[in-house]
Amino acid sequence: DSGVTQTPKHLITATGQRVTLRCSPRSGDLSVYWYQQSLDQGLQFLIQYYNGEERAKGNILERFSAQQFPDLHSELNLSSLELGDSALYFCASSAGPQETQYFGPGTRLLVL
Amino acid sequence: DAKTTQPPSMDCAEGRAANLPCNHSTISGNEYVYWYRQIHSQGPQYIIHGLKNNETNEMASLIITEDRKSSTLILPHATLRDTAVYYCIVRVYRGATNKLIFGTGTLLAVQP
């Protein structure tokens, strides 16, 4: 158990819909990261937050957005969902921007 | 970011040492080598990391060559539960950006 929690574990929705994935970092960690793992793309970095501020963006679509709240939990919002958005979404956290990242168990999203 | 090369798959007998190689010939002086593993579709699990010196923890040992162009992860006594995809990652910390770039990894199959 890494100490990073993600909800929900599974999510099934339809194309065109919007969903919100939630991540609670390890106690004391200030940095949160989101990654997407699909069958054809592997694990890809989406976005990084540090203490509420966005620090880096990766291959994140414009239909996706994220934020980190004052209590340090983070949410990833996916809108106008397409079939290709079906994937595992992982959250990771680290104590600071340079520190080791620890991953949560992931949210499996299925878009029908 | 430095690219890593790993064999796509390896087998290991239960109870024997598993030696997983990784090439990172373009690594720079300030770049760390990180190892994670992913068991089935669970969240990636941190194993070990190093910069120049060999490292050992309760899970594994990391041997980095003197020129730092390659490394080997050693699981001293592999068990069936070590069957997983192992990722070797060269991590750059740059301007508060701390993203991990995952390759395709090595699927280690531990045989009974």
Side-chain angles (χ1 to χ4, degrees), chain A residues 3-80:
Chain A
V4 179
T5 60
Q6 290 187 247
T7 57
K9 288 185 179 179
H10 303 277
L11 198 49
I12 302 174
T13 188
T15 55
Q17 295 298 306
R18 173 189 170 95
V19 297
T20 297
L21 312 183
R22 182 187 170 103
C23 168
S24 293
R26 297 186 317 157
S27 177
D29 283 1
L30 298 179
S31 281
V32 169
Y33 313 78
W34 286 97
Y35 292 81
Q36 179 193 55
Q37 185 173 33
S38 58
L39 282 175
D40 56 346
Q41 294 289 328
L43 263 160
Q44 295 214 324
F45 168 77
L46 294 178
I47 197 163
Q48 173 197 355
Y49 280 85
Y50 175 71
N51 204 19
E53 294 186 4
E54 181 184 306
R55 280 297 178 93
K57 268 187 175 180
N59 301 318
I60 188 166
L61 300 172
E62 286 191 10
R63 301 183 285 108
F64 296 1
S65 65
Q67 54 184 330
Q68 186 180 26
F69 295 86
D71 67 352
L72 301 177
H73 91 272
S74 178
E75 293 181 355
L76 179 67
N77 300 296
L78 315 177
S79 61
S80 302

Side-chain angles (χ1 to χ4, degrees), chain B residues 62-77:
Chain B
L62 174 61
I63 309 297
I64 302 175
T65 58
E66 193 168 342
D67 63 6
R68 304 209 324 119
K69 293 185 177 181
S70 66
S71 61
T72 301
L73 178 74
I74 302 172
L75 307 178
H77 306 286

Side-chain angles (χ1 to χ4, degrees), chain B residues 51-64:
Chain B
L51 182 63
K52 295 180 182 179
N53 301 319
N54 299 337
E55 302 287 345
T56 296
N57 62 21
E58 65 279 2
M59 287 185 68
S61 295
L62 174 61
I63 309 297
I64 302 175

